[in-house]
Amino acid sequence: MSTDTPNPKNDEARERLIDLAAAFYDQFAAGEVPEMRIPTRTKSNIEYDEEQGVWVYGDRHSTRSANSVGGAQKLLKAVYVIDFLSNQLEEGRSSTLRELYYLSESWDADAAQFSDQDESNQLVEDLEIVSHVTREDFNMRPEESGATLMGPLFLREQTRRGEREIHCQEDVGEGGYQIPNNPDTIEFLDHDADFVLCVETGGMRDRLVENGFDTDYNVIIVHLKGQPARATRRITKRLRDELDLPVVVFTDGDPWSYRIYGSVAYGSIKSAHLSERLATPQAQFVGIQPSDIVSYDLPTDPLSDSDVNALQSELEDPRFQSEYWTEQIELQLDIGKKAEQQALASRGLDFVTDTYLPERLSEMDVV
């Protein structure tokens, strides 16, 4: 389906893609071996940007060069993807990352076809980096993330059928407002919110809404749905930057959930080239803390070997280099336990909204 409303970003994105293809042609014409340089996407090439307060790629680069068969195939695939995306933008259409992977099977050059979706996803990320255009502006969508928000926020959303205005409490059901793939199509009109609470699990999100936490504390509850999608992180950053709302992150008490917080606050290795758009360095961690496991005697599971390795890795992770995180992680390694958000229900279904969150948020000067 084509879009009814022209998007100037489509024209800019298409122009930059064509410039990339033209650069390959110019290299050929000059008798040079075509190549494309990409920042090395590893933890060892992540650096802390003091000015932005987020993690970004460093100076190490990898080169996609046609001086080998494998390198030539990667550039060939890049050209095919550029052609596809350019046509998609010209026609005002969109597609998913999964569709791009399957679509390659219809390309006339067998060498341009992808072996798996990880390969096609990585190539789209490569094109983002070298073109300085996000995949959202390529009209590329991930599969549905289903992430939602609920709270006292009034917004205007641009859709293919025109604009619509939505209040994210009064005009939505219990499931909340579903965050669109590209949150930059949203305009914030008004709000009565005091802060934003990002919640890892659907069960905890539902408990907070059922208990009326969003209305009692004037909070916008963002369901991260596990590792948050880019759209979820983008709208969280916009809520912080444009509405000046404090952001707190509420997850399970395990090393993988701490990394969920880290991706919200500081960005991830995979999307470090977009940290200034996606990361919210002012975000604070509210729990579950290892110290909560001890203080509230929460039901727990033992740490697995992979949990222990992950915690030890986080002690060296630049995103967790603070006195707070060092103390919490070392405590967790000492007690050898982890706990889920829902473990708070051992003290009653209302404990999280009547006691735990109010006390923690008060300690953090959020409420």
Side-chain angles (χ1 to χ4, degrees), residues 67-283:
N67 63 359
S68 68
V69 173
Q73 286 181 329
K74 288 182 179 180
L75 291 186
L76 177 66
K77 293 174 183 181
V79 171
Y80 269 80
V81 172
I82 288 171
D83 181 62
F84 165 73
L85 293 177
S86 176
N87 289 334
Q88 173 170 275
L89 290 167
E90 185 176 31
E91 296 168 5
R93 297 171 65 89
S94 67
S95 59
T96 67
L97 294 169
R98 188 67 172 166
E99 286 173 326
L100 173 61
Y101 163 61
Y102 283 121
L103 183 70
S104 75
E105 295 187 6
S106 67
W107 290 343
D108 54 11
D110 290 344
Q113 298 174 10
F114 296 113
S115 58
D116 54 47
Q117 190 176 343
D118 285 343
E119 184 184 19
S120 58
N121 287 355
Q122 185 177 37
L123 180 50
V124 172
E125 291 166 6
D126 288 347
L127 293 178
E128 280 187 313
I129 294 172
V130 296
S131 68
H132 304 288
V133 176
T134 69
R135 74 178 183 209
E136 288 79 11
D137 291 328
F138 290 152
N139 288 354
M140 290 298 301
R141 296 177 280 111
E143 299 306 310
E144 291 294 335
S145 72
T148 62
L149 64 81
M150 171 75 85
L153 174 68
F154 187 46
L155 56 81
R156 180 182 294 123
E157 179 183 73
Q158 179 66 51
T159 73
R160 283 189 288 269
R161 297 175 181 84
E163 295 180 344
R164 62 171 183 162
E165 296 182 353
I166 302 169
H167 190 281
C168 297
Q169 282 173 323
E170 299 171 4
D171 300 331
V172 299
E174 289 295 296
Y177 168 73
Q178 183 157 329
I179 300 169
N181 173 57
N182 188 355
D184 288 336
T185 62
I186 294 172
E187 178 185 357
F188 300 140
L189 300 177
D190 197 9
H191 75 93
D192 293 312
D194 293 328
F195 65 102
V196 177
L197 178 63
C198 299
V199 182
E200 176 183 355
T201 67
M204 181 54 71
R205 178 262 175 212
D206 292 345
R207 169 56 49 208
L208 298 181
V209 171
E210 181 178 316
N211 286 12
F213 193 74
D214 56 313
T215 54
D216 291 345
Y217 285 88
N218 297 323
V219 55
I220 297 173
I221 299 173
V222 176
H223 177 203
L224 298 176
K225 200 179 180 186
Q227 186 65 40
R230 285 165 41 154
T232 311
R233 288 182 283 156
R234 176 59 180 161
I235 199 167
T236 299
K237 180 174 178 59
R238 288 194 60 202
L239 290 168
R240 171 62 182 85
D241 290 354
E242 297 174 32
L243 303 185
D244 197 28
L245 295 175
V247 173
V248 291
V249 182
F250 186 23
T251 73
D252 288 340
D254 64 59
W256 317 105
S257 297
Y258 307 151
R259 293 181 187 186
I260 288 174
Y261 160 73
S263 71
V264 172
Y266 306 115
S268 63
I269 292 174
K270 191 174 182 181
S271 59
H273 59 293
L274 298 172
S275 288
E276 65 178 276
R277 286 176 48 84
L278 303 182
T280 306
Q282 303 87 352

Side-chain angles (χ1 to χ4, degrees), residues 225-342:
K225 200 179 180 186
Q227 186 65 40
R230 285 165 41 154
T232 311
R233 288 182 283 156
R234 176 59 180 161
I235 199 167
T236 299
K237 180 174 178 59
R238 288 194 60 202
L239 290 168
R240 171 62 182 85
D241 290 354
E242 297 174 32
L243 303 185
D244 197 28
L245 295 175
V247 173
V248 291
V249 182
F250 186 23
T251 73
D252 288 340
D254 64 59
W256 317 105
S257 297
Y258 307 151
R259 293 181 187 186
I260 288 174
Y261 160 73
S263 71
V264 172
Y266 306 115
S268 63
I269 292 174
K270 191 174 182 181
S271 59
H273 59 293
L274 298 172
S275 288
E276 65 178 276
R277 286 176 48 84
L278 303 182
T280 306
Q282 303 87 352
Q284 301 178 74
F285 183 77
V286 66
I288 301 289
Q289 307 172 108
S291 55
D292 296 329
I293 296 174
V294 176
S295 299
Y296 297 112
D297 192 23
L298 296 178
T300 61
D301 292 310
L303 294 176
S304 66
D305 289 343
S306 61
D307 292 330
V308 171
N309 290 336
L311 287 168
Q312 290 173 337
S313 175
E314 284 168 359
L315 286 173
E316 305 298 326
D317 189 320
R319 294 175 297 178
F320 298 97
Q321 294 302 299
S322 69
E323 182 178 349
Y324 168 80
W325 279 110
T326 298
E327 289 179 355
Q328 292 296 323
I329 292 171
E330 288 182 345
L331 172 61
Q332 189 153 33
L333 287 168
D334 183 51
I335 63 177
K337 298 176 181 179
K338 60 185 177 182
E340 298 180 353
Q341 293 180 306
Q342 283 82 353

